[in-house]
Amino acid sequence: STEMNVPFFKNVRPDLLIDSLLGNPWTYPLGFIVFFAFLLLVIVGASNAVNLTDGLDGLATMPVIIAAGTFAIIAYLVGRADFSAYLGIPHVPGAGELTVFCAAMIGAGLGFLWYNCHPAQVFMGDTGSLALGGGLGVVAVLIHQPFLLVIAGGVFVLEALSVLIQRVYFRYTRLRTGTGRRVFFMAPLHHHFEKCGLHESKIIVRFWILSILLAVLALGTLKLR
């Protein structure tokens, strides 16, 4: 199915297919352009957002664990016909297997966090952050809940938005005035708070708390509709 579930709305499931192009064999592949473009946006966006968050010891690891735990629960629910019918969410046969994948991400993340917490002995780097973010994006797409990733992975969204806002505003002001100005002291967002004088450990723990709150909100959307 190319329909995607929208949080807080029970009967809003936009279909990303262009039906008018499916009737002709020559235009049939073009009917999937919006669908595949959206998939790329979700997966690549999630991958890079986690990568941008990975700037302090343990900062990206715990939100990934929390988001993976959230999607482990949701994957199990959408994989069960009875639960998905009761909650009014799309049923995806076999999606329960993704619970195992999410659980593996949680276990690997916890084992890694043992050595990655401040002061870190090992570092994630692009190899880990890009893969973990991409994994979350793929799971979100497979269970038809990509918009829920924006909530459950809200910390990653904030970090990515801070970079986009900083770059766009800097270039805009440089073109208008000749001198680039910044919205934040430094981007991504966690570096802005460092410049504000907050200790690294306090920033990390507060981001973890925010991740937990957003995960609860994401799970709450299953009933708050």
Side-chain angles (χ1 to χ4, degrees):
S1 174
T2 54
E3 292 184 350
M4 297 296 163
N5 195 56
V6 178
F8 300 108
F9 296 93
K10 184 176 293 185
N11 298 316
V12 178
R13 297 177 184 174
D15 193 339
L16 303 181
L17 280 180
I18 306 177
D19 295 328
S20 59
L21 299 176
L22 300 179
N24 191 315
W26 294 100
T27 61
Y28 183 83
L30 298 177
F32 294 86
I33 284 182
V34 175
F35 177 65
F36 286 119
F38 181 75
L39 297 189
L40 286 174
L41 175 65
V42 172
I43 297 172
V44 176
S47 181
N48 282 278
V50 175
N51 185 38
L52 290 171
T53 307
D54 182 33
L56 299 177
D57 297 342
L59 180 60
T61 310
M62 182 56 76
V64 166
I65 293 171
I66 295 169
T70 304
F71 279 106
I73 296 172
I74 298 174
Y76 179 77
L77 294 175
V78 301
R80 291 282 300 268
D82 50 351
F83 289 163
S84 58
Y86 171 72
L87 294 170
I89 55 179
H91 171 54
V92 183
E97 300 297 327
L98 292 173
T99 303
V100 180
F101 175 75
C102 292
M105 292 180 65
I106 295 170
L110 289 172
F112 176 75
L113 185 61
W114 185 270
Y115 299 98
N116 184 241
C117 60
H118 182 74
Q121 297 171 272
V122 294
F123 302 93
M124 185 181 295
D126 292 348
T127 304
S129 58
L130 291 173
L132 290 171
L136 290 174
V138 169
V139 172
V141 168
L142 289 176
I143 63 176
H144 301 209
Q145 301 284 351
F147 298 108
L148 202 60
L149 181 59
V150 178
I151 300 176
V155 167
F156 308 129
V157 175
L158 291 175
E159 294 275 39
L161 283 177
S162 68
V163 174
L164 289 173
I165 292 171
Q166 186 87 321
R167 291 181 63 86
V168 170
Y169 186 73
F170 182 83
R171 292 188 177 186
Y172 172 77
T173 53
R174 186 172 61 180
L175 289 173
R176 291 293 300 271
T177 65
T179 303
R181 297 179 181 178
R182 294 173 173 82
V183 177
F184 306 101
F185 291 125
M186 190 175 179
L189 189 60
H190 55 266
H191 290 314
H192 169 77
F193 290 122
E194 278 192 302
K195 294 293 185 180
C196 290
L198 291 179
H199 191 272
E200 178 177 341
S201 298
K202 181 170 289 189
I203 298 170
I204 293 169
V205 173
R206 286 181 175 177
F207 272 53
W208 290 359
I209 294 171
L210 180 60
S211 296
I212 295 172
L213 294 175
L214 291 171
V216 172
L217 177 61
L219 292 173
T221 62
L222 297 175
K223 294 296 290 182
L224 299 175
R225 289 184 291 169

